[in-house]
DNA sequence: ATCATTTCCTTAACATGTTAAGTATCGTGG
DNA sequence: CCACGATACTTAACATGTTAAGGAAATGAT
C-alpha cells in the first residue's frame, strides 16, 4: 500500500540537482571570467584529452545531446576555439579539433580548476569522494551492468 | 605542479549529469504519458507535500530558479494544475496552491513513481542508496556545514 | 546500378537554466 | 509623511535541454 511518495527532501533527483549546483558554482564562477560556458568548458576538456573527434563521439564523451552540440560547436568555431572539418572518407562525418586558442584556455585554468576539485575532495574526504563517484557510476545508463 | 586535469571519465560534474540522466529516464518516460515535464512534476510534489506556499519558498523547495518558476507556474495555471493568489497582507507575495486536478496527477502516478524509486534502490542496494543521498547532501550548498 | 534502410548530422520548436535589468510593494530612518 | 533601501517577483535575452522532423551521405539487398 505504498500510497505516499518519499519526501522531496530525500528525493534522489533533487539531491542530484543540488549536488551538481554545489559542485558547479565555483567552476561556473571561474568560467565567467573566461567567457565560456560550462558546456563549452566540457567540450574543450574532452577535445584536449582525446584530440580529433567526430561529433558523435564528442557528444557522448562530453555528455551533451546532439542538437545542443551542433549549436555549441558553431558558437565555439566562431570564437576560434575549435575547427570543424569534414571526414574525407565518410563525408557524413564531421571532425572537430581544439585550436591553440582553445588549448590556451585549458592551460590557463588547469591549476585553478584542480584547486576547486581538491577543495571538494577535502570537504568530502578522499574515500567518500571515490565512493561517491563509484555510486554515481552505478546509476549511469551508458555504463550498464 | 598539478599540470594535468583529471580524466573527464572520472569528473564529478559529468558523473552527476550522467547519474541524473539514468535516474530521470524512467521518470521522464512516465511523465510523458502524463503530459507534464519533470519540473512541473517537482512543483506538484512540493505543493502536495507542503500545501499553500509563496513563490520564493516553492522555488527553493523544488530547486528551481525564480525566473524558471515564473514561467512554469504560468503554464501550470493555464493547465489548471495550480492556483495563484496574491497575499493580502504582503501584496508583493504570490501564494500558490495545488488544485484537485494537480493532486489527481500525483495520486494517479504515486504507485508507478514509487516503483521506479524502489527499482533504483534495489539496483544500488538500500545501504548504498542511503550513503549516496548522504554524500550528495554534503555537496549541497544550501545545506551548508 | 537502384531503391530502401541506416547512419550522421542539422533545424525547428518549445521548455528550462542562467544572468541581469525592471517593477511593485514593504519597512525604516529622518 | 517621504525618501531610501530591501524584498518579492517579472521580463528579457541568450544558452542549453529535449523531442521530433528533415537532409545528406553511406550501406545493403536486389
Amino acid at each position: 500500500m505504498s500510497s505516499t511518495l518519499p519526501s522531496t527532501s530525500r528525493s534522489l533527483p533533487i539531491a542530484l540537482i543540488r549536488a551538481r549546483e554545489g559542485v558547479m558554482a565555483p567552476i561556473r564562477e571561474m568560467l565567467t571570467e573566461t567567457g565560456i560556458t560550462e558546456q563549452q568548458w566540457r567540450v574543450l576538456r574532452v577535445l584536449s584529452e582525446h584530440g580529433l573527434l567526430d561529433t558523435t563521439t564528442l557528444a557522448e564523451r562530453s555528455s551533451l545531446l546532439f542538437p545542443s552540440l551542433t549549436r555549441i560547436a558553431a558558437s565555439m568555431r566562431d570564437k576560434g576555439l575549435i575547427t570543424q572539418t569534414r571526414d574525407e572518407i565518410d563525408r557524413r562525418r564531421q571532425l572537430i579539433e581544439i585550436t591553440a586558442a582553445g588549448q590556451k584556455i585549458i592551460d590557463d585554468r588547469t591549476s585553478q580548476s584542480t584547486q576547486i576539485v581538491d577543495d571538494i575532495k577535502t570537504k568530502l574526504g578522499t574515500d567518500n569522494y571515490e565512493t561517491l563517484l563509484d555510486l554515481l557510476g552505478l546509476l549511469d545508463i551508458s555504463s550498464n551492468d
Side-chain angles (χ1 to χ4, degrees), chain A residues 4-128:
Chain A
T4 316
L5 285 167
S7 161
T8 47
S9 62
R10 205 64 184 165
S11 155
L12 185 54
I14 290 184
L16 288 166
I17 291 177
R18 292 188 173 157
R20 190 172 140 59
E21 187 45 40
V23 170
M24 285 314 299
I27 297 179
R28 225 194 313 271
E29 195 175 344
M30 170 186 89
L31 294 177
T32 298
E33 305 169 5
T34 313
I36 65 174
T37 66
E38 173 198 333
Q39 288 81 1
Q40 293 176 354
W41 171 253
R42 241 161 43 218
V43 168
L44 288 181
R45 287 275 305 274
V46 171
L47 288 175
S48 174
E49 182 176 348
H50 296 288
L52 189 71
L53 288 178
D54 63 356
T55 306
T56 300
T57 309
L58 177 56
E60 188 180 56
R61 297 207 172 149
S62 50
S63 285
L64 290 171
L65 292 181
F66 230 102
S68 293
L69 183 53
T70 295
R71 286 175 304 211
I72 292 168
S75 153
M76 293 178 77
R77 168 175 38 73
D78 294 345
K79 285 189 191 174
L81 303 179
I82 62 166
T83 58
Q84 297 176 304
T85 54
R86 202 143 280 284
D87 185 327
E88 285 309 315
I89 313 287
D90 183 342
R91 303 177 55 81
R92 290 170 305 181
R93 273 176 211 280
Q94 184 163 116
L95 299 177
I96 299 185
E97 192 167 19
I98 194 171
T99 63
Q103 185 59 49
K104 181 173 190 327
I105 290 182
I106 297 283
D107 295 341
D108 287 348
R109 297 295 176 173
T110 291
S111 153
Q112 191 176 358
S113 172
T114 302
Q115 183 60 53
I116 292 172
V117 174
D118 285 348
D119 287 348
I120 294 173
K121 277 187 191 168
T122 301
K123 187 174 180 179
L124 257 62
T126 304
D127 286 353
N128 279 340

